[in-house]
Amino acid sequence: MSFVSANWGDIVHRALLHAWLAGLPLFLGLLISLPVGWLAQRSRVLRPFLVVGSGLLYTIPSLALFILMPLIIGTKILDPLNVIIAMTIYTIALLVRSVSDALAAVPADVRQAATAMGYTPARRFLAVDLPLAVPVLAAGLRVAAVSNVSIVSVASLVGISQLGFYLTDGYERTYGTEIGVGIVACVVLALIFDLTIVLLARVLTPWQRVNAA
Amino acid sequence: MIRFDRVVKKFDGGSVAVDNLSFEAQRGEITVLVGPSGCGKTTSLRMINRMIDPTSGQILLDEQPVGQIAPAQLRRGIGYVIQHAGLFPHRTVLDNVATVPRLAGWSKAKARTRAHEVLELVGLPGDYAVRYPSQLSGGQQQRVGVARALAADPSVMLMDEPFSAVDPIVREQLQDEFLRLQRELGKTIVFVTHDIDEAIKLGDKVAVLEVGGRLAQLAEPAYLLAHPINDFVSDFIGRDRGYRALAFQDAPDFPLRPEPTVELGTTPAQARLATSDGWLLVVTDGRPQGWIEPQRITVPIESAMLHRGGTVARNHGPLRAALDAALSAPSRRGVVVDDDGRLLGTVRADEVLRAIDAAERPAIDPADIAPAESP
């Protein structure tokens, strides 16, 4: 407890950085996954390539990606941008399939009716497909959020400041309390992300909460 | 008016869904496309609003080829109702109905006012407007589907088996209301069904399609029943054609016989005095309730004791109803009522049969007795 009170300001600071490094990629990854997932759902030919291909990205070890990133995009090794981009890639890896599945779950007769009412394809996507995809999409987003919070901590090995620091630092100093604080802080952060997504999905889907006839 | 001009639709892989289809759906009429699965009826319907484009030939809407109209714009001018209604689960009933007016650029307030009007029209009063589709029964969802199609007041409506997913009693209600609504609105409607009875009940014209997408016959229902053009059509129409055709012939003035009646609550003794034969008609306020056998009762007549098997025919209504009333009454005396449902008298089956004998049948079109079909 004394470690927490003595380092409270530092913990909060690192937690905010951690949230930023995990949260921004979540948002960017979702933005990119939407069109890619949409394409995968529409094209029977492209689907296996897009879904399996993006899924394979997840198998790249995160440490390798953090180190390789500067070589690929020419940033400095300590640039947080490396982490942002790498985490965006992991988010895409998890979300393309979710988006594709979420869009596929929109009932065919609803989609057909929307087209027959005179929706243009783009407008239909925004007004009908996307709102109906929210429940499945939110489920995928929750997994990606928790995974991001966990993977980001690895970035402390390449010197990017966030909660992972307590794990590496605690390990070097063989100071169990510090490692414990790092773990608990990560778990709390992951829970906050998870809860936020659940609440957001609830607000976006009032129609899911009514009692069926 | 909708005109199919030598329309062909082949799908990838070469299967022919619609084969050289030409016909007209007249303005203000219900044209029913009916046939077994695989006859191309739904494909034909979807070509009208360009959900599917034909391989060759064209479809004209008031003489303008639909291929020349941008799909989204074309569809906003055509009401569309499908089997499971296809309502948007994430929108309230009101916003579902307001969809097309909103797409057409109406203000939200104006679109919602209009949506309330149409919901009223299909028999769903105000408090349904704020519900979500999942809170409605199948029949109610289907009404919302019809309201949604009507909201922008299109002159043309396409309906794809709209009533086939609800139970028979609700289906009949929806069909009756649909006909009442159509008498008021006079839309040009193309209606797809696999149910020949529904086709005959609802259609001003019925187009029977064969597997492979060929038009076998297009005619008014009464004509179809009287003169099916080939074995396929007669088989598809099914049995009891002669009897079912009577639904389209109105009964003449029958020599109605007065029928002694009693009210509920009549004692056994009074009931026995009121009739000379075995059965006695019970009425309330002049309206027939059912039959009773005075010899068999021991307590004053109660509603639960009545024989309810007899149907009731409206005076000058269809001959089919008159004959059925006579056949179904346990007394064999068919009950005939006025438009308010009040008893006018009874008619016997032999009298109805004499009227049927005297009634004219639809004259056969000489073209339908041509010696051979053109190849």
Side-chain angles (χ1 to χ4, degrees):
Chain A
M1 264 304 121
S2 61
F3 179 86
V4 173
S5 50
N7 296 285
W8 182 247
D10 188 57
I11 293 174
V12 170
H13 178 68
R14 288 183 193 280
L16 288 177
L17 281 173
H18 200 114
W20 172 252
L21 291 173
L24 182 65
L26 196 63
F27 179 71
L28 295 176
L30 176 63
L31 278 190
I32 295 168
S33 301
L34 280 175
V36 178
W38 174 79
L39 204 63
Q41 198 267 316
R42 270 185 69 104
S43 162
R44 210 175 304 165
V45 182
L46 289 179
R47 185 184 156 84
F49 293 102
L50 293 174
V51 170
V52 176
S54 62
L56 280 177
L57 293 174
Y58 200 72
T59 60
I60 305 172
S62 51
L63 189 56
L65 202 54
F66 293 147
I67 294 170
L68 279 175
M69 204 44 84
L71 300 177
I72 299 168
I73 57 173
T75 43
K76 297 212 172 65
I77 187 79
L78 286 178
D79 194 335
L81 192 62
N82 300 331
V83 179
I84 297 281
I85 292 176
M87 294 316 299
T88 304
I89 289 173
Y90 287 126
T91 308
I92 294 169
L94 287 174
L95 280 188
V96 167
R97 181 184 291 271
S98 287
V99 172
S100 167
D101 289 349
L103 293 176
V106 175
D109 54 350
V110 172
R111 194 176 294 148
Q112 190 202 116
T115 304
M117 300 285 109
Y119 274 103
T120 55
R123 209 163 159 184
R124 193 197 75 189
F125 180 76
L126 293 176
V128 179
D129 296 42
L130 202 52
L132 290 176
V134 165
V136 180
L137 209 53
L141 211 52
R142 289 172 69 183
V143 174
V146 173
S147 149
N148 275 11
V149 168
S150 144
I151 296 177
V152 161
S153 55
V154 176
S156 59
L157 291 175
V158 290
I160 307 290
S161 169
Q162 28 71 25
L163 292 173
F165 167 80
Y166 298 122
L167 308 181
T168 45
D169 189 57
Y171 179 73
E172 275 165 20
R173 293 160 54 188
T174 51
Y175 183 25
T177 311
E178 190 178 359
I179 295 175
V181 166
I183 291 173
V184 169
C186 279
V187 169
V188 168
L189 193 62
L191 281 176
I192 292 172
F193 267 87
D194 194 56
L195 213 62
T196 310
I197 294 167
V198 170
L199 284 176
L200 211 60
R202 253 180 90 91
V203 171
L204 288 174
T205 57
W207 47 280
Q208 286 240 309
R209 294 197 301 279
V210 296
N211 299 320
Chain B
M1 188 188 74
I2 298 163
R3 187 152 66 87
F4 276 65
D5 182 18
R6 287 166 295 164
V7 172
V8 176
K9 179 65 194 180
K10 292 190 180 113
F11 284 115
D12 301 341
S15 68
V16 178
V18 175
D19 188 7
N20 206 20
L21 185 62
S22 295
F23 74 92
E24 288 176 6
Q26 300 297 333
R27 177 185 293 275
E29 284 192 350
I30 301 172
T31 304
V32 180
L33 308 182
V34 65
S37 359
C39 73
K41 51 192 191 294
T42 294
T43 305
S44 300
L45 189 80
R46 289 189 191 168
M47 285 194 284
I48 299 174
N49 68 352
R50 298 195 61 189
M51 304 274 282
I52 298 174
D53 281 321
T55 310
S56 70
Q58 58 181 354
I59 296 163
L60 300 107
L61 186 61
D62 293 327
E63 292 309 315
Q64 189 187 6
V66 293
Q68 292 177 0
I69 311 171
Q73 192 200 343
L74 173 74
R75 291 169 192 152
R76 283 170 207 171
I78 298 178
Y80 191 74
V81 188
I82 53 175
Q83 191 174 57
H84 294 279
L87 299 180
F88 304 130
H90 62 304
R91 292 198 191 145
T92 61
V93 166
L94 192 70
D95 287 337
N96 261 284
V97 177
T99 300
V100 183
R102 289 288 287 149
L103 280 172
W106 298 24
S107 72
K108 200 161 195 167
K110 194 178 159 208
R112 286 190 163 172
T113 311
R114 171 65 183 161
H116 273 298
E117 282 171 25
V118 218
L119 280 171
E120 198 87 13
L121 201 62
V122 299
L124 287 175
D127 44 332
Y128 284 98
V130 295
R131 298 195 194 174
Y132 285 98
S134 65
Q135 295 171 294
L136 304 182
S137 69
Q140 289 166 339
Q141 290 189 19
Q142 213 47 259
R143 282 166 203 250
V144 177
V146 172
R148 185 173 64 173
L150 284 171
D153 201 19
S155 60
V156 173
M157 300 251 287
L158 308 179
M159 307 182 80
D160 190 358
E161 308 232 9
F163 307 137
S164 47
V166 292
D167 68 70
I169 293 172
V170 175
R171 185 183 314 150
E172 192 148 337
Q173 268 175 13
L174 289 173
Q175 288 170 342
D176 291 340
E177 281 173 39
F178 169 64
L179 284 176
R180 173 184 60 76
L181 211 58
Q182 168 64 358
R183 272 194 292 276
E184 245 175 77
L185 302 175
K187 304 284 183 195
T188 305
I189 295 171
V190 181
F191 190 109
V192 162
T193 180
H194 64 269
D195 174 357
I196 184 67
D197 290 317
E198 183 169 70
I200 284 170
K201 177 175 179 182
L202 299 181
D204 293 305
K205 303 273 168 53
V206 175
V208 184
L209 302 178
E210 289 180 61
V211 174
R214 279 181 304 279
L215 178 64
Q217 189 170 10
L218 172 66
E220 290 175 13
Y223 187 92
L224 205 63
L225 288 167
H227 306 299
I229 198 165
N230 58 24
D231 284 347
F232 170 76
V233 177
S234 59
D235 283 350
F236 191 73
I237 295 170
R239 294 171 189 278
D240 310 323
R241 295 192 287 273
Y243 180 63
R244 282 150 67 196
L246 295 176
F248 297 96
Q249 292 183 310
D250 287 342
D253 265 322
F254 287 121
L256 293 176
R257 292 159 204 274
E259 181 71 30
T261 61
V262 291
E263 301 259 336
L264 290 174
T266 305
T267 61
Q270 287 170 314
R272 280 176 206 129
L273 278 177
T275 180
S276 49
D277 79 338
W279 288 94
L280 182 60
L281 188 62
V282 180
V283 298
T284 298
D285 204 17
R287 294 185 174 84
Q289 302 298 309
W291 294 90
I292 194 125
E293 285 179 285
Q295 297 306 325
R296 297 209 179 182
I297 59 173
T298 52
V299 293
I301 300 170
E302 287 170 35
S303 184
M305 298 154 63
L306 298 181
H307 180 285
R308 306 261 179 191
T311 58
V312 168
R314 197 167 43 80
N315 199 24
H316 300 132
L319 277 169
R320 177 175 170 164
L323 183 60
D324 192 64
L327 295 178
S328 63
S331 65
R332 296 283 180 257
R333 298 191 293 276
V335 176
V336 177
V337 297
D338 65 14
D339 288 342
D340 291 331
R342 287 174 209 280
L343 178 69
L344 291 173
T346 51
V347 64
R348 299 192 58 92
D350 57 338
E351 290 159 342
V352 182
L353 287 175
R354 267 198 294 281
I356 291 169
D357 242 358
E360 288 193 20
R361 275 144 221 267
I364 191 161
D365 181 340
D368 286 351
I369 42 173
E373 273 184 53
S374 52

